[in-house]
Amino acid sequence: MAPVTAAGEEMYALVERLYPLCRSITGDGVRATLEIVGEYVPLRVHEVPTGTQVLDWTVPQEWNIRDAYVADASGRRVVDFAASSLHVLGYSVPVAATLPLAELREHLYTLPEHPSWVPYRTSYYKPEWGFCLAQETLDALPEGEYEVRVDSTLADGHLTYAEHVVPGQVPDEVLVSAHVCHPSLANDNLAGIAVAVFLARALAEQQPYYTYRFLFAPGTIGAITWLARNAERVGRVRHGLVLACAGDPGRLTYKRSRRGDAEIDQVLRHVLTDSERPHEIREFTPYGYDERQFCSPGFDLGVGSLSRTPYAGYPEYHTSADDLDLVSPEAMADTLAVCREAFAVLDRNRRYVNLSPYGEPQLGRRGLYDSLGGRSDAKEAQLAMLWVLSLSDGEHSLLDVAERSGLPFDAVAAAADALHGAGLVKA
Amino acid sequence: MAPVTAAGEEMYALVERLYPLCRSITGDGVRATLEIVGEYVPLRVHEVPTGTQVLDWTVPQEWNIRDAYVADASGRRVVDFAASSLHVLGYSVPVAATLPLAELREHLYTLPEHPSWVPYRTSYYKPEWGFCLAQETLDALPEGEYEVRVDSTLADGHLTYAEHVVPGQVPDEVLVSAHVCHPSLANDNLAGIAVAVFLARALAEQQPYYTYRFLFAPGTIGAITWLARNAERVGRVRHGLVLACAGDPGRLTYKRSRRGDAEIDQVLRHVLTDSERPHEIREFTPYGYDERQFCSPGFDLGVGSLSRTPYAGYPEYHTSADDLDLVSPEAMADTLAVCREAFAVLDRNRRYVNLSPYGEPQLGRRGLYDSLGGRSDAKEAQLAMLWVLSLSDGEHSLLDVAERSGLPFDAVAAAADALHGAGLVKA
Amino acid sequence: MAPVTAAGEEMYALVERLYPLCRSITGDGVRATLEIVGEYVPLRVHEVPTGTQVLDWTVPQEWNIRDAYVADASGRRVVDFAASSLHVLGYSVPVAATLPLAELREHLYTLPEHPSWVPYRTSYYKPEWGFCLAQETLDALPEGEYEVRVDSTLADGHLTYAEHVVPGQVPDEVLVSAHVCHPSLANDNLAGIAVAVFLARALAEQQPYYTYRFLFAPGTIGAITWLARNAERVGRVRHGLVLACAGDPGRLTYKRSRRGDAEIDQVLRHVLTDSERPHEIREFTPYGYDERQFCSPGFDLGVGSLSRTPYAGYPEYHTSADDLDLVSPEAMADTLAVCREAFAVLDRNRRYVNLSPYGEPQLGRRGLYDSLGGRSDAKEAQLAMLWVLSLSDGEHSLLDVAERSGLPFDAVAAAADALHGAGLVKA
């Protein structure tokens, strides 16, 4: 794993700030989150009204919550939203009632196999109310009457998402997406948001080739809303990466796009293999995060997903144990480093055409080749030029050349630059 | 192996009835065989006259035999057709003569490496007479004169074959073929005939999607005759299976079609692998049974071949030891079970097109998805729907979806039905 | 390795004769070499004037050398061209001077890691003078003044190369190429020249199908010159092989063409694997010998390269230790044997079309099949015919048939001949 970096510490500090907020697929928690993110990178925030048709879906009512609790006969709050945003079932309808424990149980969610953890549960599209709590809390509740109160509103409003764009030399876009709908869960997905933010800042310093679009949106409905409202822009998305669960101590996991052989898939495999980090490459599945939407067969974008331990792969997943202890500056710094390495390759990965394809061009005449012949230790730079010339038939990218030749991508890209400078290849 | 079933016992009883008959590529033995088969499934019997041109071949004269023997000087029959139909060289021309053992030897066929077994030999296209006998019988014959008699006729007549059709919902056909030309050999191919018969009966109870055509015909010339007379129908054969050597104790062997990746090849591989039966998958060879004809390059049908121990793969092959002891109800029941499993998959294996391919359709609204979110244990039925939606691009069949996802074919097919019912996919 | 053969001894004798000559990319050393080769096979010698544009290159001035030495203060020649043609830097400009050792050092080339060996070095395209010598010779030189003399000429003249053609039944060509520009280096490439010569003689005795063109030309500039002057002929080159380093004791190494799956690649892999010789198959790299030019992306010919220990793969490479002891009659005979086996396959490797593709043709009627049926030991010749019929769809070559069936290529080719004779297939 990469050493602790200033960026690692800054990402962790951002996660700490975002952690207490109660996010959901709509509402003020999302807005507060985006406001903080906007302190790091300029955001364009979009508000889409309830009822808007987005592909096969409809933007739901906006949910906001002020307070929620279960109190015992003595008035003591035995489950309290103020202690953790996880305690309330996401999108709970308002309720104010007193009822016996037996009836209350139908609205309580626990994790019997982890009795001290609070689960994360939602009911976005079916009107319900409920509380999530530790099994051991539930076990300690005596029979009797309990007061329950959810002080929430479900009303016409808006769905909120935001975009940040790092302009490039061409309008072709790379889409980087992180979901912002999960409440107090650190790895899923505050770590993903933090890595996206610092990746954007790093790219902005580089005058990249591609235009990089960062999307901070609620999962599923947010991605669907963005796709519905950007029918034209979608055609410009050449590559993409969904960032999720980016800060836990597990090894890196890259999940391929649905295409399986998109350029982003090749780049991530190359960079992860080349870096000698422990990692796993997974085939696409139509389950997980917003790659589900970007890779749906009608769009079928070249969008992969980078995580550390992936979706549902660690016990703390979607529980109160996905907290600030689970994520670390080191892990986030490592995820960020891989993203930067990958985009450094992707951004320079071009297909060239050899303009002197009949025989080798005389490189020596152009100062690109040693004048002393007979030596058996050809230099990497010269080999790289010969490889670029050999494979620059419009079919092979520079990364293909690097992988076929076994030469470092940087050497191949430098050779392509030299040949381009000599007028021997064109992009 | 599957437990003994009623069908296993019934198949064995059918084999027992057919065993004594003297079959060949033409003649009354074939007719008697088809008459018995016709008691189990209705048959349409075809009689094709001698001299009919069929592709590159000509229907030969019809051969019938009443008696044949070799008798010693005392008149004792030392080789007797009445004891086994194998004793006469198939298609022997008539002969009545007395000749010394030295001359007779040129017409005798034995298996020196299995001295107690009688080989099966034929001479369809070269006029010959001859006897097959055990090496130890031959060794015991004293020198001297022997009377030989083959009371056969070779005369213009007919080639006989039969078809049984299980009607389906579409005119596209699945061809199941078993050769009926071998005399008293139990595994090759009375077991194949028996499995075909009981497979037809099982399919008839199911209102299948495809139309299933069962062909009972003599090997090579029978398949060629059917192909020659069904030029139009051949175009409707989408899939096919040749059944042979279906009753011995060996493990199942599937031989791929010449195409190698026909749908039937995928189905059999899937079902055999999935069933965890010991089995072998072989590449196509242009040698074996009537897949030679169906897979000839002009037709190149998607027809594979299922056997237990395949063609020429067991010592008893084409000898008197391929008898009623070599085959068992259990083995035939097991072969039948695999055929039924395979056709259950094949018959439901369709390519669908996702009618809502942009993003995921909202399954929850249609009652197809859990309303409670956040859980990490997605249900198989929901996963299967997401997979079908993801891969229903007209390219992937349901079996492709099952293999890609690792989900059971039944779950995938059920998901496709559910999505079809909701109007989300079309076939 | 193959036993010593008369050809092995003759090839070694040819190498011995060629060894002392001082070859370079132009000049009388090349002419003398071709004159000797011309005693074995008739050559057409081409002289291309200095200044001729050839693809991206220009034919350089012609270099000739009569004498060169470094002499010490006493007049003793401490480095002497007369002792070995390697002692002078190839293409040295003339020089006559006296200078101190310190200054002389800048023009001296040694191999510190092999102190007794003399390196081979050139400076074709940058005007330089220099000497190559053993490190231990250099170490023994006292400080002081030295007389240096290179009695060479660099002047307008010609580049010389030669061709030998073995006429075939069709104008489609197989190109066999060996570079002739290296001075006193036995394995690189006198052994390659010798194998090419004796391969040509062997082919001439066989009335081959293809026209075989043998090219003896200086490396790089010679191949480029030939390509530039034979734009039309290049289109006829169906297959090719570059021969280099053909006589050392190492195992055989075949380097694939850039295409990677050209017919020559398949043939060499098949023959090397089939022969059970230790060998290595390498992927194409754009570095090595003249396959660099023939496989440049504009031409992309199906040209591979056969060596024993390949380019830069042995310590003696491009040093005085690549001498007559490094190469052997046995090794050259073995390389020649593989070439002959490979071209025997290549020359007969055709794609046939089955003219009777619907069902099997009745081979028995044509005397091509046993009349006795029922036996389980089908003969190789009959199996080969069935395989040729099955795969003769215009897509599969006879070598494909051999590899798919596991039958020997000779059996498959004989079957194709028999079927062709019977009018059942056409080429």
Side-chain angles (χ1 to χ4, degrees), chain A residues 162-210:
Chain A
E163 293 172 288
H164 167 70
V165 173
V166 180
Q169 301 163 34
V170 294
D172 298 311
E173 294 198 358
V174 178
L175 178 68
V176 181
S177 152
H179 60 279
V180 297
C181 53
H182 284 34
S184 301
L185 299 168
N187 195 39
D188 179 17
N189 189 34
L190 302 180
I193 294 168
V195 170
V197 166
F198 281 78
L199 178 59
R201 288 168 61 149
L203 285 165
E205 291 166 14
Q206 289 165 26
Q207 278 232 299
Y209 176 76
Y210 290 114

Side-chain angles (χ1 to χ4, degrees), chain C residues 28-97:
Chain C
D28 291 333
V30 174
R31 288 190 192 95
T33 298
L34 296 177
E35 199 161 330
I36 292 171
V37 168
E39 295 175 22
Y40 292 77
V41 289
L43 291 184
R44 180 163 175 209
V45 177
H46 302 262
E47 297 279 354
V48 184
T50 296
T52 304
Q53 271 295 128
V54 286
L55 304 179
D56 188 59
W57 301 59
T58 308
V59 172
Q61 287 197 311
E62 183 175 327
W63 182 66
N64 283 295
I65 181 162
R66 282 155 297 279
D67 195 11
Y69 60 86
V70 177
D72 63 16
S74 73
R76 190 175 62 89
R77 294 188 171 196
V78 296
V79 182
D80 191 353
F81 172 73
S84 165
S85 67
L86 293 177
H87 277 310
V88 73
L89 179 72
Y91 257 63
S92 262
V93 297
V95 66

Side-chain angles (χ1 to χ4, degrees), chain A residues 56-57 122 258 292-293 296 298 318, chain B residues 357 359-360 362 365 373-374 390:
Chain A
D56 186 60
W57 301 59
T122 65
R258 180 179 178 278
R292 290 164 68 160
Q293 311 309 326
S296 57
H318 278 191
Chain B
E360 287 172 16
Q362 195 180 6
R365 194 177 80 211
S390 181

Side-chain angles (χ1 to χ4, degrees), chain A residues 95-107:
Chain A
V95 66
T98 301
L99 68 181
L101 182 59
E103 260 178 59
L104 176 57
R105 279 180 187 277
E106 290 170 29
H107 298 272

